Amino acid sequence: VKNIAIGNIPEGFDATIQEFEGTGVEKYKISVSGVEEDIKKMNAKDIIGVIDMKLLAQEQELTEWHEGSYVGELTFNLPENVFANKQYSLTVILEDLNKQNEESLESVE
């Protein structure tokens, strides 16, 4: 799980992955296929999965981000002859940092 990241987080937002938030989950399993020799050389610690928010916005034809949840596809940095057996998606929760700051200021008064 520590090798799964959210890329291109929109400015002014905080992003978390819903499936992992507060769950204590430490591992995320993916199924791969490809050249056996290349698969044997793989080390799970070297595999990185990324949900690219810029790509997600393009796919969903978004022109503006809003607070809420979005389902994004994970892309992995797999060796050349190794492929994920299916598409993997996770839910990204966006929180508006400006809204949080406004709420904090209101509670101080």
Side-chain angles (χ1 to χ4, degrees):
V1 168
K2 66 183 176 185
N3 287 5
I4 295 179
I6 303 168
N8 294 311
I9 297 171
E11 189 174 327
F13 288 89
D14 185 29
T16 56
I17 297 174
Q18 179 177 338
E19 287 83 354
F20 304 146
E21 191 67 18
T23 63
V25 172
E26 294 183 16
K27 295 184 183 215
Y28 187 78
K29 293 183 181 185
I30 65 168
S31 175
V32 297
S33 59
V35 177
E36 183 177 1
E37 180 181 305
D38 292 334
I39 291 173
K40 286 182 178 181
K41 291 179 188 176
M42 289 175 50
N43 183 339
K45 293 179 182 177
D46 297 331
I47 304 300
I48 308 252
V50 176
I51 299 172
D52 185 335
M53 297 302 287
K54 186 174 183 178
L55 181 60
L56 179 61
Q58 291 171 352
E59 290 171 351
Q60 296 187 10
E61 299 179 359
L62 297 173
T63 56
E64 187 176 339
W65 288 104
H66 298 281
E67 198 170 59
S69 62
Y70 300 86
V71 176
E73 185 179 328
L74 278 165
T75 55
F76 297 96
N77 67 327
L78 298 171
E80 188 174 325
N81 296 314
V82 178
F83 308 92
N85 286 332
K86 66 177 191 171
Q87 291 182 342
Y88 293 89
S89 299
L90 292 171
T91 307
V92 175
I93 304 296
L94 284 184
E95 293 182 70
D96 187 335
L97 293 175
N98 295 321
K99 187 176 179 181
Q100 289 175 353
N101 291 338
E102 289 172 12
E103 289 173 1
S104 295
L105 289 174
E106 287 175 7
S107 64
V108 173
E109 293 179 24

